[in-house]
């Protein structure tokens, strides 16, 4: 719905490069990231960058903010090297202006380091992000600001990569409560937190509990366009977890339903390959 709104507005003969309309182009990128379409997001962010460079100098913090978005798209695409190169530019701009205003840059750096498998660097940069905001982990857990729930998810995944599974599971479970308090009982971010908890439970051998959470995601998904990726991913993962437990016919039914829902996702950027990795790509790697 939000994408259609912005696309309609930008189609009305307006100057997309103008100071008034260009932010809407960037918001289209944000929507695309939420829909697991990082290539479309990158296109929107590059258009935003080109327009911003006509309005402000290349050293303006506004440009650093757009670099953050571009780096986020590259990280979602799995190109951490390119993302880090872009983030270096953002850091340089902030250092030349006001280093205390680079909390968002640090958050995206942390995400990028995590995807690159560098848990220690990811932890350091997300803590730097909080320090610049004058926040502690305890304060974040009590926050009503939506992005802070994403920080808790990120920290959970860092802890999981470090091998601290108990802390990771506790944090991921906390993020479900936070997100339900902010977004209600349903929706992409609630489902995403539930999925991460399910994965951690499965990794710990608690298959029944993991499957129940995945089934809850499936049950909250029908009728919500923005949930189709979550729906298909949950079904496919359920099929894998229940292999050897459920009957072959039941497993096949789950897989076929996952494939059917995947085929209904418009503008998807993934190939229709039947693997865990490819179904995972139907949802953004990190939802803030």
């Amino acid at each position: 719905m939000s994408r259609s709104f912005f696309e309609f507005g930008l189609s009305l003969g307006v100057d997309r490069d103008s100071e008034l309309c260009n932010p809407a182009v960037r918001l289209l990128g944000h929507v695309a990231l939420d829909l697991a379409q990082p290539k479309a997001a990158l296109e929107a962010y590059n258009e935003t960058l080109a327009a911003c460079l006509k309005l402000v100098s290349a050293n303006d913090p506004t440009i650093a903010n757009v670099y953050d978005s571009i780096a986020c798209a590259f990280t979602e695409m799995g190109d951490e090297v390119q993302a880090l190169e872009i983030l270096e530019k953002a850091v340089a701009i902030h250092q030349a202006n006001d280093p205390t205003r680079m909390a968002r840059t640090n958050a995206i750096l942390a995400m990028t380091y995590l995807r690159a498998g560098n848990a220690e660097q990811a932890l350091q940069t997300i803590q730097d992000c909080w320090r610049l905001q004058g926040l502690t982990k305890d304060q974040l857990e009590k926050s009503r600001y939506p992005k802070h729930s994403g920080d808790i998810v990120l920290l959970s995944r860092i802890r999981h990569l470090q091998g601290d599974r108990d802390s990771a599971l506790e944090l991921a479970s906390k993020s479900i409560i936070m997100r339900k308090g902010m977004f209600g009982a349903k929706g992409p971010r609630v489902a995403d937190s539930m999925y991460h908890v399910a994965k951690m439970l499965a990794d710990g051998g608690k298959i029944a509990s993991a499957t129940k959470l995945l089934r809850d995601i499936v049950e909250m998904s029908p009728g919500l366009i923005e949930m189709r990726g979550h729906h298909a991913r949950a079904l496919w993962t359920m099929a894998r977890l229940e292999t050897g437990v459920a009957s072959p016919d039941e497993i096949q039914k789950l897989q076929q339903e996952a494939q059917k829902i995947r085929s209904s996702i418009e503008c998807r950027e993934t190939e229709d390959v039947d693997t865990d990795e490819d179904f995972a790509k139907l949802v953004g790697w990190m939802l803030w």
Side-chain angles (χ1 to χ4, degrees):
M1 181 67 73
S2 55
R3 168 180 277 182
S4 299
F5 176 80
F6 287 122
E7 287 178 338
F8 176 75
L10 290 168
S11 71
L12 298 177
V14 299
D15 181 3
R16 293 167 65 103
D17 290 349
S18 69
E19 190 172 0
L20 177 63
C21 296
N22 188 246
V25 176
R26 188 179 179 194
L27 287 171
L28 274 178
H30 295 346
V31 172
L33 279 188
D34 273 358
L35 295 174
Q37 295 167 8
K39 293 177 183 176
L42 182 60
E43 183 178 345
Y45 294 148
N46 279 330
E47 181 180 346
T48 300
L49 177 64
C52 284
L53 287 171
K54 297 176 183 177
L55 300 171
V56 299
S57 73
N59 248 358
D60 192 279
T62 302
I63 302 301
N65 292 335
V66 181
Y67 280 147
D68 288 344
S69 296
I70 291 172
C72 195
F74 275 120
T75 300
E76 286 287 344
M77 292 164 61
D79 190 345
E80 299 90 13
V81 173
Q82 186 66 51
L84 288 171
E85 289 181 4
I86 296 294
L87 286 166
E88 284 181 8
K89 296 181 181 180
V91 169
I93 292 172
H94 285 304
Q95 293 288 358
N97 289 274
D98 184 355
T100 67
R101 303 297 296 273
M102 58 181 288
R104 182 171 182 266
T105 301
N106 279 331
I108 296 172
L109 268 169
M111 167 191 171
T112 305
Y113 284 131
L114 178 61
R115 183 146 202 193
N118 190 337
E120 298 305 322
Q121 195 67 49
L123 179 60
Q124 180 62 56
T125 48
I126 196 61
Q127 289 174 336
D128 288 343
C129 168
W130 301 339
R131 177 180 53 79
L132 288 174
Q133 298 175 77
L135 294 170
T136 65
K137 181 175 76 69
D138 289 343
Q139 289 173 317
L140 284 166
E141 290 180 358
K142 297 173 184 177
S143 172
R144 297 283 297 175
Y145 181 53
K147 297 294 184 184
H148 290 162
S149 66
D151 287 1
I152 296 300
V153 173
L154 185 68
L155 179 60
S156 167
R157 295 171 69 176
I158 292 170
R159 292 302 187 197
H160 192 262
L161 183 59
Q162 290 177 320
D164 187 352
R165 293 189 173 186
D166 289 342
S167 292
L169 182 58
E170 181 182 350
L171 288 162
S173 299
K174 176 65 177 178
S175 76
I176 296 176
I177 297 170
M178 292 176 69
R179 285 177 159 177
K180 283 185 174 180
M182 297 172 190
F183 303 110
K186 300 180 180 181
R189 282 163 177 76
V190 172
D192 192 58
S193 287
M194 292 169 66
Y195 181 80
H196 287 300
V197 171
K199 278 187 64 180
M200 292 175 190
L201 288 170
D203 287 347
K206 298 178 180 179
I207 304 302
S209 296
T211 301
K212 182 184 183 305
L213 270 177
L214 293 170
R215 196 173 300 279
D216 288 344
I217 295 172
V218 169
E219 291 175 355
M220 72 166 63
S221 298
L224 300 174
I225 294 175
E226 66 274 19
M227 286 291 292
R228 287 178 183 172
H230 298 268
H231 193 175
R233 179 177 69 170
L235 284 166
W236 187 262
T237 306
M238 280 177 59
R240 174 173 58 79
L241 293 182
E242 294 197 335
T243 299
V245 178
S247 70
D249 285 347
E250 289 174 313
I251 299 302
Q252 185 179 45
K253 183 179 179 181
L254 287 170
Q255 292 176 333
Q256 289 176 341
E257 185 64 18
Q259 292 163 342
K260 178 182 176 181
I261 293 168
R262 177 181 61 190
S263 68
S264 72
I265 300 174
E266 297 180 359
C267 302
R268 62 188 181 280
E269 296 181 355
T270 58
E271 295 183 12
D272 291 350
V273 181
D274 293 336
T275 65
D276 291 352
E277 180 181 1
D278 283 279
F279 270 93
K281 290 177 182 177
L282 296 174
V283 178
W285 190 82
M286 177 68 203
L287 290 182
W288 292 96

